[in-house]
């Protein structure tokens, strides 16, 4: 009997190690391309995040984590509204040739149909290729004709039109991040420094440029953690929760502070 368990979530310590290495090695000699999704990977909110109980929180925390590093941030289509993996209940719902080939290869090795489908639903790159969800209209407003692949059924509530005028939406969070980068040189040119605040799931770093210093802190885990990260005389610039507790970070909580230069030194 094949037993396929799909584990969601991200290995935060390893992610911090890898991304920090890129930030440090390229600093002064090159320029990073910042991204967390592309057309060959499943949707990041469904793999590194939690697209069920913490859909909005994990979509925005992952965004905040990478968006303020040194480099040019890329937003893969649909990421800015938190598009998630599609259900793909049948093999014919998949369009990707590689996914179909993998199914028949696994079948030949003796793997059962249900186990293979569980594997495909977790790994297929078709998740990132479903049509952009513009509205709750026919075909999610993507086209008046039948698209090449089925629209994710959650387009009824997860779409651009539903988020455009919602100040707490994933889309609005992305707009706020873009505004900050465009208006704060420290978030473009600032030197990156990783901070370890005592929790594996917490990804925190500072950007420093001239007289400005900014702290970015995200909890990439599904559990709250005690973490006194409110620096003295800090100004909160952005957060994905409305009620902030200085003594803890909630699941997938993200904050951006402007802080005095002497804060978090060493």
């Amino acid at each position: 009997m094949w037993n396929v368990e799909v584990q969601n979530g991200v290995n935060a310590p390893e992610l911090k190690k890898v991304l920090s290495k890129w930030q440090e090695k390229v600093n002064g000699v090159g320029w990073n391309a910042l991204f967390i999704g592309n057309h060959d990977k499943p949707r990041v909110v469904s793999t590194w995040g939690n697209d069920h109980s913490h859909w909005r929180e994990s979509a925005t925390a992952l965004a905040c984590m990478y968006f303020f590093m040194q480099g040019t941030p890329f937003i893969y289509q649909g990421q800015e509204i938190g598009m998630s993996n599609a259900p793909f209940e049948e093999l014919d719902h998949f369009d990707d040739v590689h996914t179909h080939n993998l199914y028949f290869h696994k079948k030949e090795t003796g793997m059962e149909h249900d186990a293979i489908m569980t594997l495909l639903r977790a790994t297929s790159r078709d998740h990132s290729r479903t049509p952009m969800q513009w509205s709750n209209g026919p075909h999610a407003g993507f086209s008046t004709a039948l698209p090449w692949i089925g629209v994710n059924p959650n387009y009824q509530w997860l779409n651009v039109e539903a988020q455009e005028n919602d100040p707490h939406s994933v889309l609005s969070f992305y707009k706020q991040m873009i505004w900050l980068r465009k208006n704060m040189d420290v978030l473009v040119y600032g030197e990156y420094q990783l901070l370890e605040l005592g929790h594996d799931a917490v990804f925190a770093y500072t950007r420093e440029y001239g007289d400005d210093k900014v702290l970015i802190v995200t909890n990439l885990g599904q559990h709250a953690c005690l973490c006194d990260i409110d620096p003295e005389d800090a100004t909160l610039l952005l957060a994905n929760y409305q009620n902030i507790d200085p003594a803890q970070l909630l699941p997938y909580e993200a904050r951006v502070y402007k802080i005095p230069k002497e804060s978090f030194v060493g």
Side-chain angles (χ1 to χ4, degrees), residues 158-176:
L158 201 170
N159 59 71
V160 173
E161 191 174 74
Q163 296 191 26
E164 271 187 312
N165 297 314
D166 179 1
H168 305 298
S169 67
V170 177
L171 181 59
S172 290
F173 193 85
Y174 268 90
K175 289 179 180 179
Q176 293 175 73

Side-chain angles (χ1 to χ4, degrees), residues 9-167:
V10 63
N11 184 335
E14 188 65 21
L15 183 66
K16 288 185 280 188
K17 178 181 177 181
V18 171
L19 294 187
S20 294
K21 180 179 180 180
W22 275 98
Q23 289 288 293
E24 293 159 2
K25 296 296 184 181
V26 176
N27 184 38
V29 295
W31 195 252
N32 279 292
L34 309 173
F35 60 93
I36 54 173
N38 62 46
H39 69 287
D40 278 331
K41 297 293 183 182
R43 292 286 178 177
V44 69
V45 71
S46 299
T47 53
W48 286 3
N50 180 332
D51 63 7
H52 298 292
S53 60
H54 293 95
W55 162 73
R56 178 194 167 277
E57 293 80 11
S58 58
T60 49
L62 289 165
C64 190
M65 176 273 298
Y66 91 99
F67 208 81
F68 295 116
M69 293 182 178
Q70 189 179 71
T72 300
F74 289 81
I75 305 171
Y76 181 68
Q77 62 90 12
Q79 180 184 312
E80 72 273 35
I81 61 170
M83 280 181 61
S84 61
N85 284 353
F88 291 131
E89 296 175 352
E90 301 176 13
L91 181 61
D92 287 345
H93 292 171
F94 293 97
D95 179 71
D96 179 36
V97 172
H98 176 267
T99 300
H100 282 261
N101 289 341
L102 180 61
Y103 175 88
F104 291 110
H105 170 72
K106 292 296 185 182
K107 194 75 172 175
E108 289 175 356
T109 65
M111 198 170 184
E112 296 180 356
H113 170 79
D114 289 346
I116 303 174
M117 291 301 294
T118 297
L119 176 65
L120 299 185
R121 279 191 289 267
T123 61
S124 177
R125 57 190 180 183
D126 270 340
H127 288 297
S128 60
R129 299 177 179 188
T130 58
M132 180 66 185
Q133 295 165 207
W134 293 104
S135 71
N136 64 359
H139 311 308
F142 176 81
S143 171
T144 56
L146 186 67
W148 72 96
I149 191 172
V151 176
N152 192 322
N154 65 13
Y155 80 93
Q156 293 284 351
W157 62 270
L158 201 170
N159 59 71
V160 173
E161 191 174 74
Q163 296 191 26
E164 271 187 312
N165 297 314
D166 179 1

